[in-house]
Amino acid sequence: SPATARYLNIIEPALIRLNNLIPFDLHVVGGRFKSKMLSVKNLAWSEDKELSLIRNFDIGVMPLEDSQWEEGKCGYKIIQYMGCGIPYVCSNVGVNNSLVKNSNAGFLAINEEEWIASMKDLLSNHKLRMQMGHNGVNAVRDLYSFQSQHEAYAEIFSKLELAR
């Protein structure tokens, strides 16, 4: 998004180094990111195109600063990646840690070397990308879908009804 594209600045040095090893295009959906050293495609976001744009990724990224604001982020972007079968690399901030542990669909990175190693592993290993993508779809189905949570929703609504 326009508000979150700035986080790509955090990993730009890692992306540049990785691009020297494995050339790639960086697709940015909804925001604008400029780099003199990378091939960047800034793509317009729309609700009807969002999923098809994500499904065209080889990997997703979610870099974040380690601050109080980012600690409160919900990991929605990661859940979108998982739901689309896209493995990801993300900052070890906030809920990201539990999303990675609960899904086995992505990697946590805390420094430039870890960003490079994780993205290199995914970009160079199709089988790993497919397995982690499959893990992500399963995690979304099992942990985050309405079907997996309908009883919890029903209990909440039942309590609300009783409180009237």
Side-chain angles (χ1 to χ4, degrees):
S1 72
T4 59
R6 66 184 174 89
Y7 293 123
L8 291 169
N9 291 312
I10 296 168
I11 62 169
E12 184 178 20
L15 294 172
I16 291 168
R17 287 179 53 201
L18 177 64
N19 192 57
N20 290 330
L21 301 170
I22 304 171
F24 62 88
D25 293 326
L26 177 65
H27 292 200
V28 179
V29 178
R32 309 263 333 139
F33 182 73
K34 294 180 183 177
S35 175
K36 294 179 181 179
M37 304 294 291
L38 297 169
S39 171
V40 179
K41 295 183 180 185
N42 291 297
L43 306 169
W45 177 90
S46 68
E47 185 176 357
D48 59 322
K49 291 183 181 178
E50 183 176 35
L51 292 179
S52 65
L53 290 169
I54 293 171
R55 286 185 178 124
N56 283 320
F57 295 173
D58 289 314
I59 63 173
V61 297
M62 187 179 174
L64 292 173
E65 295 172 357
D66 192 359
S67 74
Q68 191 173 7
W69 174 259
E70 285 76 16
E71 283 287 327
K73 289 190 151 297
C74 71
Y76 181 65
K77 185 175 291 161
I78 291 173
I79 294 171
Q80 284 183 304
Y81 293 150
M82 289 191 302
C84 290
I86 304 300
Y88 58 89
V89 182
C90 62
S91 296
N92 189 8
V93 175
V95 73
N96 292 1
N97 186 291
S98 62
L99 287 169
V100 170
K101 286 181 181 175
N102 291 335
S103 70
N104 197 27
F107 292 114
L108 295 168
I110 60 172
N111 58 43
E112 187 173 324
E113 298 306 319
E114 289 182 5
W115 277 98
I116 293 168
S118 297
M119 291 186 292
K120 182 179 176 188
D121 285 350
L122 287 169
L123 288 174
S124 63
N125 188 335
H126 178 78
K127 186 176 178 180
L128 177 63
R129 284 197 316 272
M130 294 302 103
Q131 181 60 54
M132 291 180 89
H134 180 75
N135 293 347
V137 169
N138 288 339
V140 167
R141 184 193 63 235
D142 295 344
L143 301 171
Y144 305 108
S145 69
F146 178 78
Q147 290 76 13
S148 70
Q149 298 300 315
H150 74 278
E151 290 179 13
Y153 286 125
E155 184 178 332
I156 290 168
F157 289 126
S158 176
K159 288 179 181 177
L160 290 172
E161 184 64 29
L162 292 174
R164 287 168 100 198

